[in-house]
Amino acid sequence: MEYSPFLHGLHVVPSSHVRNKLFVFCIMLSLWFYMIYCCVGYCSTVPNLAYGSVSRRENDAATDNRGSSLGASRDLLNNENELDSRGDEWDEVRGEAKTLDDTAMSGFLNETESKKLPQAIIIGVKKGGTRALLEFLRLHPDIRAVGAEPHFFDRNYDKGLEWYRYQSVSWGEELSIGWACRLLWELMPSSSKGQLTMEKTPSYFVTREVPCRIYSMSKDTKLIVVVRNPVTRAISDYTQTRSKKPDIPSFESLTFKNMSAGLIDTTWSAVQIGMYARHLERWLQFFPMEQLLFVSGERLITDPAGEMARVQDFLGLQRVVTEKYFHFNPTKGFPCLKRPELNTKPHCLGKTKGRIHPNIDPEVMRTLRDFYKPFNKKFYKMTGHDFGWD
């Protein structure tokens, strides 16, 4: 009988090595399909909690039709600034995951710990330096803080305090990803006796309903507000938005209702947030001034240890986070953090910090400074602290 390569090939028996590879491949394929199945299941059952969701944007469009295209752009920025900040927040939290130490992870599993409602909250302000302050505070062994912004008191209040304490889940955030059911699972951290639980959400300070809601949770809550020169804060706010949407109108055109008349548009959130005295009045209806601490965003950069001393005193904590924890990065223009006990490389804040601001017309800057002067003066008087912005 003649030799036939074809018939011989039909009787080839795979080697054990090949069979093992096929077996592993089948297992990996099964796991992959299972993960997709789980993700689809989660996506189908998760409520949309993202601020500025499609339905909300559609409702806003139907109820707020401002005649000019510039007005429409300004409204769009007011809504989407929050989504931009969530995108930045995701970058920051993703970076924080790399810096978690064994102590924090083991503390999460400690049976002597429990989940508490926050005894202190960083309530504002956006682009003032709240992320930097939170990261500085997380170096303290007696502080347990939520990494991302829960937005409980302004967006998720209807879910109740138990949701806030045990879950604080932000599902289906858009974050300009749009390719999968990407979710951010943030738990209110477990803390032991003597530890302080904290969170930070900068939009709290400017949201009308929040003071009453926090007071209802606990009238003894300590509140921290990081403030910054309102002019540079507004430019930083605009710069953040422009980094996501390069085709937005100019800062100058958004600032004014009528540029020739020098009429500032106070409905634009970038301008409105910096009217600190007006927002503070609402908080003082519920909390005494002794329960609020105002931190200088400028001094957090130039003298982080000095500002941290004030914050630790206000929270009733030992001054653990001192100058030895900071290393100034001249490239970014921000202080980076280091763990002196670990002798590791300094950890700098995310890439979203230290953006280069656009050049703004000097006349616009002067008009804005003049606009904020009466608000600043009143704010200095209310807080008993001159921040030197004028």
Side-chain angles (χ1 to χ4, degrees), residues 136 139 301 304-305 322-339 344-349:
F136 297 171
L139 294 172
I301 296 172
T322 58
E323 61 276 355
K324 64 183 179 181
Y325 281 83
F326 299 100
H327 170 78
F328 188 78
N329 184 328
T331 304
K332 289 185 71 68
F334 278 89
C336 298
L337 305 176
K338 59 183 180 179
R339 296 276 185 130
T344 55
K345 280 181 63 178
H347 165 65
C348 297
L349 297 179

Side-chain angles (χ1 to χ4, degrees), residues 79-254:
N79 287 336
E80 295 204 349
N81 271 348
E82 291 298 331
L83 286 177
D84 290 336
S85 69
R86 300 296 293 210
D88 285 348
E89 182 187 329
W90 172 257
D91 290 338
E92 291 160 355
V93 172
R94 183 169 52 188
E96 289 162 23
K98 299 177 182 177
T99 65
L100 286 173
D101 55 35
D102 293 336
T103 303
M105 294 303 292
S106 62
F108 182 79
L109 301 173
N110 194 328
E111 293 182 0
T112 64
E113 295 184 341
S114 61
K115 293 184 181 297
K116 304 170 187 171
L117 293 169
Q119 297 100 337
I121 304 176
I122 301 173
I123 59 174
V125 297
K126 181 183 178 187
K127 307 309 295 180
T130 59
R131 170 59 55 182
L133 178 60
L134 185 72
E135 291 309 297
F136 297 171
L137 283 168
R138 292 175 81 178
L139 294 172
H140 200 293
D142 292 334
I143 287 181
R144 301 300 304 277
V146 181
E149 297 168 6
H151 283 277
F152 172 68
F153 291 102
D154 57 353
R155 301 180 193 169
N156 297 305
Y157 191 67
D158 60 329
K159 292 174 174 57
L161 287 173
E162 290 308 290
W163 178 91
Y164 183 43
R165 182 190 306 192
Y166 290 107
Q167 295 188 74
S168 295
V169 182
S170 300
W171 292 89
E173 292 291 346
E174 291 176 275
L175 303 182
S176 303
I177 294 171
W179 52 262
C181 176
R182 192 155 198 173
L183 54 87
L184 180 62
W185 183 279
E186 271 298 320
L187 296 172
M188 190 64 71
S190 297
S191 57
S192 58
K193 186 177 180 180
Q195 285 186 319
L196 197 68
T197 302
M198 293 189 67
E199 70 119 314
K200 77 105 176 170
T201 303
S203 54
Y204 286 167
F205 186 64
V206 299
T207 304
R208 187 175 300 275
E209 300 83 6
V210 170
C212 178
R213 291 172 175 177
I214 293 181
Y215 183 85
S216 297
M217 176 190 73
S218 172
K219 63 182 180 180
D220 298 319
T221 307
K222 293 187 176 182
L223 308 167
I224 301 175
V225 191
V226 187
V227 289
R228 180 184 182 188
N229 185 320
V231 177
T232 54
R233 197 222 65 82
I235 297 171
S236 180
D237 199 337
Y238 171 81
T239 303
Q240 174 179 292
T241 303
R242 196 178 73 162
S243 70
K244 305 285 193 303
K245 302 182 178 300
D247 58 342
I248 64 172
S250 69
F251 178 85
E252 290 84 352
S253 60
L254 290 166

